[in-house]
Amino acid sequence: MAAETRTPPSAWIDAGLLALAAGGPDAVRVEALAKALGVTKGGFYGHFADRGALIEEMLATWERMSTGLLFESVEREGGDARAKIRRAGLLASDRLLPIDLAIRDWARRDPEVAERLRRVDNQRMDYLRSLMREIFADEDEVEARCLLAFSLLIGKHFMAADHGARSRDEVTELAGKLILGGPGHDG
């Protein structure tokens, strides 16, 4: 007789993060996650005391993915500071953005989530500052460029404006070049 295969906690967490990204915190329901995973909800309680415990693990996982794991991935690939900043922005957009946007919305209504978001954003800004200091010497300029870069990463997803003959991606690339300076730009 084969041993019973249990759905690992990471599968519940991943399914919870997908549900959060798609529908906010109210979409993270044990029955819905079990259905999405194709299992019964009984296995859930072998890993988590309740929905609140799952939510805490989801937020902790998002925090690790958004900070330490993201920074390690960027550093592992190497390159100069501009390349690292671009890579961090791409990785954050590709992997984390839907979850990030859901958490930002949730943080507007939940002080504990807001505090976790503040901690994550502060770590991201600290990392961005460390890279910007490799490019720019003036601390005021570093801070302003970090704010612009971070605002671009998050804010472009809330805009509905057209950009004439240019695509959003083209304008984002131009904005990134302006923020990072380099050949053909002041900085």
Side-chain angles (χ1 to χ4, degrees):
M1 186 166 157
E4 180 182 335
T5 303
R6 292 181 59 179
T7 305
S10 60
W12 290 99
I13 292 166
D14 291 344
L17 289 170
L18 286 172
L20 175 67
D26 292 339
V28 181
R29 296 184 329 275
V30 177
E31 286 184 34
L33 298 179
K35 185 175 181 179
L37 291 168
V39 299
T40 64
K41 66 180 184 174
F44 171 86
Y45 294 101
H47 300 298
F48 305 100
D50 55 21
R51 179 181 176 271
L54 171 64
I55 296 280
E56 177 55 35
E57 286 301 315
M58 288 168 45
L59 289 170
T61 297
W62 166 77
E63 187 169 352
R64 283 190 305 276
M65 290 169 43
S66 300
T67 57
L69 294 175
L70 177 71
F71 307 155
E72 288 170 14
S73 180
V74 169
E75 292 297 323
R76 191 172 34 254
E77 293 293 319
D80 67 9
R82 284 181 177 90
K84 289 178 181 178
I85 291 168
R86 286 187 192 99
R87 189 173 318 108
L90 289 173
L91 290 175
S93 288
D94 291 347
R95 290 191 266 188
L96 300 170
L97 185 67
I99 301 165
D100 216 58
L101 294 178
I103 287 175
R104 287 179 187 288
D105 182 52
W106 187 8
R108 294 177 18 214
R109 296 177 303 282
D110 186 315
E112 289 178 23
V113 175
E115 184 52 40
R116 190 179 294 255
L117 176 61
R118 180 184 319 284
R119 185 171 60 235
V120 167
D121 279 355
N122 281 332
Q123 289 179 55
R124 289 171 167 174
M125 282 292 284
D126 287 344
Y127 181 64
L128 185 54
R129 284 181 194 105
S130 73
L131 294 173
M132 285 287 190
R133 286 183 185 116
E134 293 180 30
I135 306 168
F136 305 101
D138 181 83
E139 280 299 314
D140 290 337
E141 186 174 2
V142 165
E143 195 64 23
R145 288 178 188 266
C146 287
L147 177 65
L148 289 170
F150 207 156
S151 296
L152 177 63
L153 178 68
I154 296 164
K156 70 180 181 173
H157 303 285
F158 293 103
M159 291 183 58
D162 295 320
H163 301 288
R166 292 184 178 91
S167 71
R168 174 68 49 88
D169 288 342
E170 289 171 326
V171 175
T172 298
E173 179 67 25
L174 288 170
K177 287 178 181 178
L178 288 172
I179 292 168
L180 294 177
H185 295 92
D186 292 333

